[in-house]
């Protein structure tokens, strides 16, 4: 059960889009993939064709339900999604309070999916530090930190390098790696920041994703970039990142067959 967390120290970096497309690319390779949304914006589901009007999710009843897999939605193919869902402010506060005070709250709620044979989990987190990101530190196999090729992201790089985002190491297993998103070689700043990060991060940089208008168009049509424009630069870049993630976590490419049905509705 490889579990990949996608996070960022700042918003607006395309983190959720990358998480969704990474899940889709891994699913295309034959893996069964579950995308989990820990961001209150509840936007991850939209990348998989879940209607905007569908407010189902796991957070609202997380304190009552010992098994959050009951909130999994089937989206077709090898991909499943567990949305954050529409919540009241009180429900959000209770969820985050449980994450903070109960060290077993997250593991208990995810027990079914964490022990599902052959399932790959991609989890999307809100930008910056947060109780969910901190609670996931001991469960996740790898963290992907998404940065933009701009000076704002560059200024936040020491925060990650010095383990200050959550007050300690992001990941206790394979570690954390970086992805530079929306790199634009036509712009001097973007080009210079990309080159600097490539040199500074070395093997910790899993990939650079080129700025591509096809990504926004794919998002608008609720499609993965590979389905919308398989020959686009972004589709190639994201596939390369997914292959590197698969190699790091020894994800075996299979026929996409289920060991048993995932509980979904």
């Amino acid at each position: 059960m490889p579990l990949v967390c996608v996070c960022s120290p700042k918003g607006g970096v395309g983190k959720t889009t990358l998480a969704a497309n990474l899940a889709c690319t891994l699913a295309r390779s034959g893996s069964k993939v579950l995308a989990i949304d820990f961001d209150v914006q509840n936007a991850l589901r939209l990348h998989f064709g879940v209607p905007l009007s569908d407010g189902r999710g796991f957070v609202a009843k997380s304190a009552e339900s010992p098994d959050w897999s009951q909130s999994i939605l089937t989206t077709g193919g090898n991909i499943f999604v567990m949305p954050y869902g529409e919540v009241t402010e009180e429900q959000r506060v209770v969820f985050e309070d449980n994450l903070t005070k109960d060290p077993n709250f997250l593991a208990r709620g995810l027990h079914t999916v964490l022990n599902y044979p052959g399932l790959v989990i991609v989890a999307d987190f809100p930008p910056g530090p947060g109780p969910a990101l901190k609670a996931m530190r001991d469960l996740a196999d790898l963290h992907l930190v998404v940065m933009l090729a701009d000076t704002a992201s560059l200024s936040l790089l020491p925060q990650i390098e010095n383990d200050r985002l959550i007050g300690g190491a992001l990941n206790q297993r394979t570690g954390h790696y970086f992805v530079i998103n929306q790199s634009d070689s036509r712009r001097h700043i973007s080009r210079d920041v990309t080159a600097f990060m490539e040199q500074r991060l070395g093997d910790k940089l899993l990939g650079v994703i080129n700025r591509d208008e096809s990504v926004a168009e794919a998002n608008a049509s609720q499609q993965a970039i590979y389905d919308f424009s398989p020959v686009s630069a972004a589709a190639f870049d994201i596939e390369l990142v997914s292959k590197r993630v698969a190699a790091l976590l020894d994800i075996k490419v299979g026929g996409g067959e289920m060991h048993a049905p995932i509980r979904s509705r």
Side-chain angles (χ1 to χ4, degrees):
M1 184 290 311
L3 196 163
V4 180
C5 295
V6 183
C7 61
S8 176
K10 67 185 290 288
V13 301
K15 168 187 57 61
T16 298
T17 297
L18 177 60
N21 280 285
L22 177 64
C24 290
T25 305
L26 290 169
R28 280 199 314 110
S29 72
S31 298
K32 287 291 180 184
V33 181
L34 171 65
I36 305 178
D37 194 354
F38 284 95
D39 194 332
V40 69
Q41 295 183 65
N42 196 30
L44 185 64
R45 65 197 167 113
L46 303 178
H47 292 269
F48 304 106
V50 178
L52 186 63
S53 58
D54 191 335
R56 291 178 291 176
F58 72 96
V59 171
K61 296 183 178 179
S62 59
E64 307 166 16
S65 173
D67 184 2
W68 300 346
S69 69
Q70 297 177 23
S71 297
I72 293 175
L73 306 180
T74 303
T75 65
N78 290 342
I79 301 179
F80 300 82
V81 61
M82 197 160 79
Y84 189 98
E86 294 182 1
V87 299
T88 64
E89 178 65 8
E90 182 182 2
Q91 288 170 331
R92 181 192 67 79
V93 170
V94 168
F95 177 65
E96 294 184 356
D97 195 48
N98 284 329
L99 286 171
T100 302
K101 295 180 177 178
D102 184 351
N104 297 313
F105 181 67
L106 191 62
R108 195 164 54 243
L110 296 177
H111 176 78
T112 297
V113 297
L114 290 175
N115 290 279
Y116 190 89
L119 183 68
V120 178
I121 300 175
V122 177
D124 181 40
F125 291 82
L133 187 62
K134 193 168 185 177
M136 187 62 84
R137 176 171 52 187
D138 296 328
L139 295 178
D141 294 285
L142 183 146
H143 279 67
L144 274 185
V145 183
V146 186
M147 312 286 275
L148 288 182
D150 64 7
T151 54
S153 287
L154 189 59
S155 69
L156 293 171
L157 189 56
Q159 188 181 79
I160 308 297
E161 293 178 322
N162 299 324
D163 295 333
R164 295 203 307 267
L165 183 61
I166 60 171
L170 270 175
N171 189 282
Q172 301 288 353
R173 297 184 182 180
T174 307
H176 69 270
Y177 291 81
F178 294 85
V179 173
I180 300 174
N181 196 23
Q182 299 180 28
S183 178
D184 191 343
S185 60
R186 299 168 299 178
R187 299 179 181 274
H188 290 295
I189 289 294
S190 181
R191 189 167 62 242
D192 291 347
V193 170
T194 299
F196 178 84
M197 285 190 175
E198 286 176 329
Q199 182 178 20
R200 178 153 174 167
L201 297 175
D203 292 340
K204 298 293 284 184
L205 180 62
L206 286 196
V208 176
I209 301 172
N210 285 284
R211 185 175 181 84
D212 190 337
E213 292 303 317
S214 296
V215 174
E217 294 169 0
N219 290 350
S221 62
Q222 291 189 297
Q223 292 183 355
I225 182 61
Y226 193 89
D227 294 330
F228 183 83
S229 180
V231 296
S232 68
F236 176 83
D237 297 335
I238 293 171
E239 184 164 22
L240 186 58
V241 170
S242 75
K243 288 180 178 178
R244 289 172 176 168
V245 168
L248 282 168
L249 299 181
D250 196 27
I251 297 174
K252 303 297 185 183
V253 176
E257 295 182 358
M258 302 284 282
H259 295 269
I262 293 181
R263 183 177 301 163
S264 63
R265 61 180 189 179

